[in-house]
Amino acid sequence: MVDAATPLWEVFIRSRNGLAHKHAGSLHAADATLALQAARDLYTRRGEGLSLWVVPSSAITASDPADKGMMFEPTASKIYRHPTFYEVPEEVGHM
Amino acid sequence: MATTSITVRETPLVRYLLRRADDALILGHRLSEWCGHAPTMEEEMALANMGLDLIGQARSLYTYAAEVEGEGHCEDDFAYLRGERSYGNLLLVEQPNGDFARTMARQLVYSAFIHPYWRALMASPDATLSAIAAKAEKESAYHVRHCAEWLIRLGDGTRESHARAQAAVDHLWPFTGELFEADADEKGLVAEGVVPDPESLRGAWMQTVSAVLAEATLALPPNGWMQKGGREGRHSEHLGPLLTELQYLQRTFPGATW
């Protein structure tokens, strides 16, 4: 099976200095060096970035979609966490 | 109806430009043949990227050749309307793709030469040549890295991949001598300081290639008999079929655009 020899990697790109690396997609590669090269060829063809990270997908621990209710829904009822009631002075700009 | 081939008004600089452009075009075309056949999607993109880099280099050189020639030709005329004997590319670049190891070995031995060559050409007093070289240098640097990484993994991989990588290097080695040749035209340009002497890059080339082969646990082939003739238009049996495919559309539908 291909996957055993070429594990999955997650690709992150920083588009500009000062911005965070953002997830761009994934790819298969045998090791980190080849994953970085493949990321360059697959995800930076149109000048998308200045910096690339590749991370083994297996290193990521993800939340279970089945836990959606427990994980995320309680925040919806806590409207005081959403600062939409306040008048923001114009000089502040984007918060 | 077949279109007639063009006659190029050759000066030393035009001939030089066409040869370097032919190298890039033919190798770029070979890489394009991997489209739809590459071992993985990731490598498919990498091979297409490298192919497009090379075809882009060919376009710049052909366009400049047309300007220097001044006969109203364009880049397409040079690519599509010259016969096999007018092509002056290296025999190395017209060699068939073979397996993946052979494609990587071919690309490495070419790129390990052309990368320092472009770097040297950046110092040319000819502003157009220097600009083309500056762009191509970065592309070729990546080709060296990509192919070296692959050759290292193939050579230092399984028994099968090692054997195939060694066979690829051995097979292509006799075509590497031509990289360092310059004919009277090119020697003239070298003497004028317009272009670098390819022979002066042999050391840098050997250093790159031997370091990669060593890391790949592959043996450096002994220096023996070298094949030549591509620069004079004497090609292997492989260029004709390649040009037939490359030129088919323009020869069948002259002036076709899309």
Side-chain angles (χ1 to χ4, degrees):
Chain A
M1 186 59 205
V2 176
D3 280 5
T6 57
L8 195 64
W9 300 77
E10 300 302 322
V11 179
F12 297 83
I13 300 177
R14 170 152 69 196
S15 54
R16 273 189 291 134
N17 281 335
L19 295 184
H21 284 74
K22 275 178 118 168
H23 187 241
S26 49
L27 54 85
H28 285 94
D31 55 49
T33 307
L34 292 183
L36 202 57
Q37 290 189 8
R40 179 260 191 196
D41 284 318
L42 284 165
Y43 294 109
T44 68
R45 289 160 52 84
R46 296 172 187 87
E48 285 88 344
L50 293 173
S51 164
L52 271 176
W53 284 355
V54 289
V55 179
S57 303
S58 60
I60 292 173
T61 308
S63 62
D64 186 340
D67 294 340
K68 186 168 64 126
M70 173 189 76
M71 295 282 280
F72 309 116
E73 277 171 25
T75 65
S77 61
K78 298 178 175 54
I79 53 170
Y80 46 85
R81 289 185 187 162
H82 304 275
T84 53
F85 316 110
Y86 312 100
E87 298 265 335
V88 180
E90 253 179 46
E91 305 85 72
V92 174
H94 294 287
M95 270 189 63
Chain B
M1 191 205 89
T3 39
T4 40
S5 296
I6 57 166
T7 306
V8 180
R9 192 173 64 84
E10 290 188 338
T11 63
L13 183 56
V14 169
R15 270 171 69 82
Y16 166 84
L17 289 167
L18 290 182
R19 285 170 178 161
R20 296 285 160 195
D22 292 347
D23 287 347
L25 179 70
I26 299 299
L27 190 54
H29 183 82
R30 279 287 184 230
L31 290 177
S32 79
E33 292 174 346
W34 275 102
C35 274
H37 300 278
T40 65
M41 188 187 72
E42 288 79 355
E43 202 50 35
E44 174 110 354
M45 297 293 285
L47 290 163
N49 269 351
M50 290 193 292
L52 286 172
D53 286 345
L54 289 164
I55 290 167
Q57 293 168 12
R59 291 186 61 186
S60 307
L61 291 163
Y62 284 140
T63 300
Y64 188 36
E67 190 187 318
V68 175
E69 187 202 19
E71 294 286 308
H73 291 136
C74 68
E75 47 173 318
D76 282 0
D77 298 333
F78 291 130
Y80 296 130
L81 300 179
R82 282 184 304 139
E84 186 181 345
R85 291 299 302 260
S86 308
Y87 264 81
N89 59 276
L90 301 165
L91 294 172
L92 172 73
V93 299
E94 70 195 42
Q95 296 311 302
N97 287 338
D99 59 15
F100 186 64
R102 194 174 282 185
T103 292
M104 285 297 118
R106 185 185 61 200
Q107 196 67 40
L108 178 76
V109 293
Y110 175 75
S111 306
F113 166 78
I114 206 70
H115 177 235
Y117 185 87
W118 292 132
R119 284 190 69 87
L121 190 62
M122 284 164 66
S124 173
D126 181 319
T128 309
L129 275 180
S130 152
I132 292 171
K135 179 166 174 287
E137 180 270 326
K138 295 181 196 78
E139 295 165 344
S140 302
Y142 185 73
H143 301 177
V144 172
R145 181 192 289 192
H146 186 81
C147 298
E149 294 292 353
W150 265 115
L151 211 57
I152 288 164
R153 281 159 183 78
L154 294 171
D156 192 16
T158 65
R159 191 182 299 177
E160 168 89 12
S161 71
H162 177 89
R164 286 202 193 196
Q166 185 68 60
V169 173
D170 293 346
H171 174 79
L172 293 167
W173 201 253
F175 297 105
T176 58
E178 220 178 7
L179 286 165
F180 308 101
E181 278 180 22
D183 69 356
D185 282 338
E186 191 169 333
K187 281 189 178 132
L189 296 171
V190 170
E192 291 166 29
V194 179
V195 302
D197 183 355
E199 183 59 44
S200 70
L201 300 162
R202 191 187 285 271
W205 175 81
M206 184 53 97
Q207 204 173 6
T208 305
V209 172
S210 55
V212 172
L213 291 184
E215 201 173 339
T217 73
L218 294 169
L220 196 66
N223 253 328
W225 172 80
M226 288 288 169
Q227 181 70 263
K228 53 195 251 181
R231 291 287 189 230
E232 286 82 52
R234 287 179 287 112
H235 293 280
S236 63
E237 68 271 34
H238 306 297
L239 185 64
L242 183 153
L243 289 178
T244 305
E245 189 172 334
L246 177 76
Q247 300 181 336
Y248 170 80
L249 197 85
Q250 278 302 319
R251 298 278 192 188
T252 312
F253 303 104
T257 55
W258 64 317

